[in-house]
Amino acid sequence: MTSRRQVLTQSAALIGAASTGLILPARAQSAKIRVGLMLPFTGTFAQLGIACDNGFRMALEEKGNKLGGREIEYFKVDDESEPSKGVENANKLVQRDKVDVLVGTVHSGVQMGIHKVARETGVLCIIPNAGMHAATRALCAPNVFRTSFTNSQPTLALGRVMMQKGHKKAVWITWKYAAGDEAGEGFKEGYLAAGGTIVKELGLPFPNVEFQALLTEIASIKPDAVACFFSGGGASKFIRDYAAAGLAGKIPLYGSGFLTEGLLDDELAPSAQGIVTTLHYSTSLATKRNDAFRLAYAKAYKMQPDVYAVQGYDAGQLLIQGAAAVNGDFSKKKALYVAMENAVIDSPRGKWTMSKAHNPVQDMYVRVVKGKENVVQGVAAKALSDSGAGCKLG
Ligand code: PHB
């Protein structure tokens, strides 16, 4: 029998060994890295969440499903694009599942909840879509990185494109929540600077799709053009209703590229012809990097990628670079963050870098819907950086 004294002596020896670093690091290194995915898998943004998830996993699969030499364990939460459950859902991953990194999410309102938890707990967070300004502006944080955009980035260059086509008076229409409002800010800034006038701003609550009364109003205003932010299932309905109201071809429709992204199937494409958008990606980008990505994605998931898949993929690429720099030891936070800040991401959208506020510095493309593709017409803004206003990092 082992005496109580012997047990105590043995445990003391163990603790001693651990504190000199002989035991604990070895165990920590062999444990799996816990990756939490908080995304919408139901509702109007379900398709977006699935694409982010697919892209992220594909990046890791390309590296043998390892981060800095360690195996990965996934934890998943469907956030339903429901802002009121944002904090609770983020805590399921951070407090209950004890993830090392939280990857999420799509919806800016839900991101608010994740951001609160990330700031309070210090957990590493990578945003694969949601563009809420505060995350990389006034509320920026050393442990929060974004691989997508800020909400005003894609619409900043849209106004100039519209003015070049002679559309001087426009109606702006969107869902009334952070993403729509901030996309509107970007549009207004660019369009006014280019000499345009916004004759009316229209909105409806997220995720409503009762567009009829608003489309009737647009028809009576008769602007030169309409610009908008919609996305996912709601964007598809907006494009169909716009055409059904007889406005397609009469009053040209513009938007941030989310409007047509991942949606151009046989059913929707006829209503979407000629829609011009600005975005940081298009499947039609003719580069070797994009061709290889498209091929691999189609093979793995039996569907075409879109911007959300690319952003998820780049979240994976960013994490891979960070983890490699610290050999999978996520407790080396400073070195991890420095590596992520200095990462150059070889993305299917084109190479991009991180701004000081942890948001991509990237090109914006002009695209037009032809057939079932968003065909790139040119670069609307080169190496576009968000202002990062109020962020004191770096
Ligand atoms: C957002 O809520 O930040 C958001 C959602 C869908 C998009 C873009 C931005 O396509």
Side-chain angles (χ1 to χ4, degrees):
M1 244 182 73
T2 324
S3 74
R4 187 175 141 74
R5 174 177 290 243
Q6 264 174 315
V7 170
L8 284 177
T9 320
Q10 278 164 7
S11 350
L14 270 178
I15 291 165
S19 64
T20 56
L22 289 176
I23 289 181
L24 272 186
R27 283 170 71 195
Q29 288 297 321
S30 63
K32 290 184 178 172
I33 293 200
R34 301 162 81 85
V35 176
L37 294 169
M38 177 160 157
L39 293 164
F41 295 111
T42 50
T44 199
F45 288 161
Q47 205 183 316
L48 288 62
I50 291 165
C52 286
D53 184 343
N54 288 347
F56 183 81
R57 283 168 193 264
M58 191 170 117
L60 289 164
E61 260 156 40
E62 284 176 359
K63 302 286 171 198
N65 273 322
K66 289 212 168 151
L67 279 169
R70 290 169 65 189
E71 305 271 346
I72 302 163
E73 184 168 6
Y74 284 108
F75 298 84
K76 253 195 199 189
V77 167
D78 174 8
D79 68 39
E80 305 162 45
S81 293
E82 179 48 64
S84 69
K85 296 189 202 159
V87 168
E88 183 191 330
N89 279 329
N91 272 328
K92 281 187 193 156
L93 292 170
V94 176
Q95 308 290 357
R96 184 192 66 194
D97 300 333
K98 311 237 174 313
V99 297
D100 296 298
V101 52
L102 193 165
V103 179
T105 187
V106 166
H107 184 286
S108 277
V110 180
Q111 197 68 44
M112 275 294 202
I114 294 182
H115 202 64
K116 186 168 185 293
V117 173
R119 279 168 57 98
E120 283 169 9
T121 62
V123 72
L124 175 62
C125 174
I126 304 181
I127 311 172
N129 185 71
M132 71 173 232
H133 283 171
T136 54
R137 290 193 183 178
L139 296 180
C140 70
N143 54 315
V144 176
F145 294 80
R146 179 149 49 199
T147 60
S148 50
F149 52 86
T150 58
N151 284 322
S152 57
Q153 248 179 333
T155 40
L156 257 181
L158 185 62
R160 190 152 26 86
V161 173
M162 291 167 64
M163 285 300 285
Q164 279 161 0
K165 307 221 180 200
H167 304 315
K168 297 185 187 129
K169 290 195 164 78
V171 165
W172 169 255
I173 179 167
T174 190
W175 277 316
K176 293 298 294 170
Y177 81 106
D181 292 343
E182 293 174 351
E185 270 177 45
F187 174 63
K188 189 179 249 176
E189 189 182 328
Y191 193 50
L192 266 48
T197 307
I198 299 175
V199 289
K200 183 94 189 179
E201 292 179 40
L202 299 171
L204 71 173
F206 175 88
N208 287 10
V209 289
E210 307 309 321
F211 299 118
Q212 209 46 58
L214 299 168
L215 292 171
T216 305
E217 198 172 342
I218 289 172
S220 74
I221 295 171
K222 297 192 180 62
D224 296 339
V226 171
C228 69
F229 163 82
F230 289 111
S231 175
S236 170
K237 171 86 165 38
F238 183 71
I239 291 171
R240 269 184 281 130
D241 287 4
Y242 198 86
L247 298 177
K250 279 208 192 118
I251 305 177
L253 181 57
Y254 290 82
S256 47
F258 308 115
L259 180 64
T260 53
E261 199 57 21
L263 299 172
L264 299 172
D265 58 11
D266 287 334
E267 206 189 323
L268 187 66
S271 306
Q273 296 306 299
I275 295 178
V276 173
T277 60
T278 41
L279 198 68
H280 45 286
Y281 179 65
S282 164
T283 42
S284 79
L285 275 176
T287 61
K288 274 197 184 141
R289 183 74 183 94
N290 188 38
D291 286 349
F293 172 76
R294 283 184 69 174
L295 211 66
Y297 191 91
K299 206 169 152 206
Y301 303 108
K302 312 284 175 268
M303 60 168 127
Q304 283 298 314
D306 54 21
V307 73
Y308 312 104
V310 170
Q311 293 165 175
Y313 183 75
D314 288 354
Q317 295 208 80
L318 178 66
L319 192 59
I320 287 163
Q321 291 197 25
V326 294
N327 283 321
D329 184 353
F330 276 41
S331 69
K332 293 186 176 149
K333 291 194 175 186
K334 217 167 169 195
L336 177 65
Y337 300 161
V338 168
M340 291 173 73
E341 275 161 3
N342 293 326
V344 177
I345 302 296
D346 187 11
S347 171
R349 75 185 93 166
K351 282 202 173 113
W352 62 266
T353 54
M354 269 301 164
S355 72
K356 286 203 169 102
H358 298 179
N359 189 69
V361 178
Q362 57 191 339
D363 296 347
M364 287 291 152
Y365 305 99
V366 187
R367 308 123 32 102
V368 62
V369 176
K370 280 193 190 142
K372 290 194 273 176
E373 283 239 71
N374 290 292
V375 176
V376 172
Q377 293 192 306
V379 176
K382 192 96 194 119
L384 183 67
S385 186
D386 185 67
S387 74
C391 175
K392 299 206 170 59
L393 293 175

